[in-house]
Amino acid sequence: MKGKLILEDGSVFYGTLVGDSTAVGEVVFNTGMTGYQEILTDPSYCGQIVALTYPLIGNYGVADLFQQSRKSFVRGFIISELCEEPSNYQCENTLIQYLTENEIPCIYGVDTRAITRRIRSNGTMKGVIVPEDVSEEVIKKYFDLVPAMKEVQEVTTPEVYVMENSGPHIVVMDFGIKRNILNSLHNLGCKLTVLPADATSEEILKLNPDGIFLSNGPGDPKDVPYAIETIKELIGKKPIFGICLGHQLIALALGADTYKMKFGHRGSNQPVKNLLTGRVHITSQNHGYAVEESSLENIDVLITHRSVNDNTVEGMRHKKLPVFSVQYHPEASPGPDDNTYLFDEFMALLPKGV
């Protein structure tokens, strides 16, 4: 079926739909050459329609091994060329079958680079994917009826669960955590107790963990004030490591500020400079908000990492307390192992560190 993507600024892009479903959400782009299934199942994309800049998608199929959460939370997918005959020894299914079975709205045969250029120029904006013959009146209703999102509540674990192990006990606050992050900590020997995003400091401290991990997640960090208050009460009580949304929540809990970026950082090729070592690491990122650097001036933290592309804050560390965070994903493998040292640094802060 023929379809179209309409952006908030009125621009229209035509293509072919997978099925006949519609999608409404914030349109963003990802510059990674691989990892489309990880993108589809990364909870940080909740509420968003994702355009992939790499032209050929689906060429290695899909497999459960690459699944990052219990389901896909994206609102829609935009592809230039959709490969229907994948070739890979790990392939269990085609991407088009995966999209169909999981009812993920997708439009392909679209000029994704033109879409990317428009977003880079005008900033992230809302968009809708609809069949080609849908009227302007109906499209306007889609834009007008975009609901207020509560992304973190949608993606967090509905119940507490434990990943047993013999090493240090880590409490994970799940704001939309990826499977690979849990595996990275578990492979280091950690016992993990994963709690919903609205867990209180009393509930966390009652478990007497050796450390606390604050996960990635979708949306504006200011939309989860309950988590900010919880983190305020935890700082100084236990070692804390945060990534992505967790990084932003630590900043807010310390009294700093965050802001919405023009089009964000999304891709597996983002260069970040470690200011403590002088090394530049290639990182995987997915965020549309950042920590406002000027708001850190009177707070007892050290900026440890910066984006090479736009100089935004990519990491920080408290000068006195065992609290640190980064804005990117150390568990992802664009390096492929450049950034796993951050997990080792977290382990070294723990009373039972290895």
Side-chain angles (χ1 to χ4, degrees):
M1 176 182 290
K2 293 297 182 182
K4 55 187 177 182
L5 164 73
I6 305 98
L7 296 180
E8 197 172 1
D9 66 355
S11 54
V12 181
F13 301 87
Y14 293 92
T16 302
L17 294 179
V18 175
D20 59 356
S21 54
T22 60
V24 182
E26 182 183 59
V27 182
V28 300
F29 63 86
N30 183 292
T31 58
M33 295 175 65
T34 60
Y36 49 80
Q37 188 178 349
E38 289 89 340
I39 292 167
L40 277 169
T41 56
D42 180 350
S44 294
Y45 283 109
C46 180
Q48 297 176 327
I49 298 173
V50 185
L52 303 180
T53 62
Y54 190 70
L56 179 62
I57 302 298
N59 51 314
Y60 56 85
V62 297
D64 185 65
L65 174 67
F66 307 128
Q67 197 84 353
Q68 291 301 308
S69 59
R70 62 185 182 273
K71 56 171 284 189
S72 174
F73 294 96
V74 301
R75 293 295 182 264
F77 221 38
I78 307 169
I79 295 170
S80 176
E81 182 180 347
L82 177 59
C83 176
E84 297 186 40
E85 296 182 2
S87 177
N88 186 277
Y89 75 99
Q90 294 173 308
C91 177
E92 297 171 355
N93 212 336
T94 67
L95 177 57
I96 194 166
Q97 288 170 321
Y98 181 89
L99 294 168
T100 302
E101 290 172 4
N102 290 276
E103 300 181 338
I104 301 169
C106 174
I107 185 169
Y108 65 95
V110 179
D111 188 346
T112 53
R113 299 199 175 190
I115 295 169
T116 300
R117 287 168 64 93
R118 186 165 290 274
I119 294 172
R120 281 182 59 89
S121 298
N122 301 331
T124 299
M125 63 189 90
K126 290 187 292 186
V128 299
I129 296 173
V130 293
E132 187 177 27
D133 58 359
V134 170
S135 69
E136 294 298 323
E137 182 181 359
V138 172
I139 292 169
K140 184 178 184 303
K141 287 181 180 178
Y142 281 130
F143 277 111
D144 291 342
L145 295 176
V146 174
M149 292 299 299
K150 295 183 178 180
E151 295 100 334
V152 169
Q153 291 92 324
E154 183 175 343
V155 301
T156 188
T157 179
E159 56 188 19
V160 178
Y161 63 94
V162 177
M163 297 174 65
E164 291 289 353
N165 220 327
S166 58
H169 180 202
I170 306 299
V171 162
V172 177
M173 291 189 71
D174 178 10
F175 305 114
I177 197 164
K178 293 171 63 180
R179 179 190 289 179
N180 277 353
I181 297 174
L182 293 172
N183 290 342
S184 295
L185 289 168
H186 196 250
N187 290 341
L188 287 172
C190 295
K191 171 186 174 181
L192 306 177
T193 301
V194 185
L195 301 182
D198 59 0
T200 66
S201 59
E202 290 80 9
E203 291 171 329
I204 293 169
L205 294 174
K206 186 177 180 180
L207 294 169
N208 193 29
D210 297 303
I212 299 167
F213 181 82
L214 309 178
S215 84
N216 63 296
D220 186 340
K222 294 176 182 176
D223 286 344
V224 282
Y226 52 87
I228 298 169
E229 290 304 312
T230 295
I231 295 166
K232 280 183 185 179
E233 296 166 1
L234 294 171
I235 289 175
K237 306 282 180 62
K238 298 286 183 179
I240 299 176
F241 177 26
I243 71 163
C244 295
L245 184 64
H247 162 78
Q248 297 159 16
L249 291 172
I250 287 175
L252 291 171
L254 290 170
D257 198 11
T258 57
Y259 66 95
K260 185 175 177 64
M261 306 171 78
K262 185 176 181 181
F263 49 81
H265 296 170
R266 297 177 179 89
S268 54
N269 48 8
Q270 303 280 333
V272 169
K273 185 173 184 178
N274 184 330
L275 303 180
L276 304 180
T277 65
R279 290 186 61 186
V280 173
H281 298 265
I282 301 303
T283 70
S284 177
Q285 300 190 22
N286 174 17
H287 62 101
Y289 291 82
V291 174
E292 176 58 62
E293 181 174 349
S294 62
S295 70
L296 295 172
E297 292 177 358
N298 298 318
I299 299 174
D300 211 8
V301 298
L302 175 70
I303 296 173
T304 57
H305 298 77
R306 286 189 183 279
S307 167
V308 174
N309 288 335
D310 61 12
N311 214 36
T312 51
V313 176
E314 288 285 341
M316 61 186 184
R317 180 182 299 272
H318 200 281
K319 294 179 181 178
K320 299 176 182 177
L321 301 173
V323 178
F324 74 107
S325 60
V326 292
Q327 183 63 84
Y328 55 91
H329 283 259
E331 87 290 347
S333 304
D337 298 319
D338 288 8
N339 303 293
T340 55
Y341 73 94
L342 292 161
F343 291 112
D344 295 331
E345 290 187 359
F346 181 44
M347 297 292 284
L349 292 178
L350 306 179
K352 301 175 184 176
V354 294

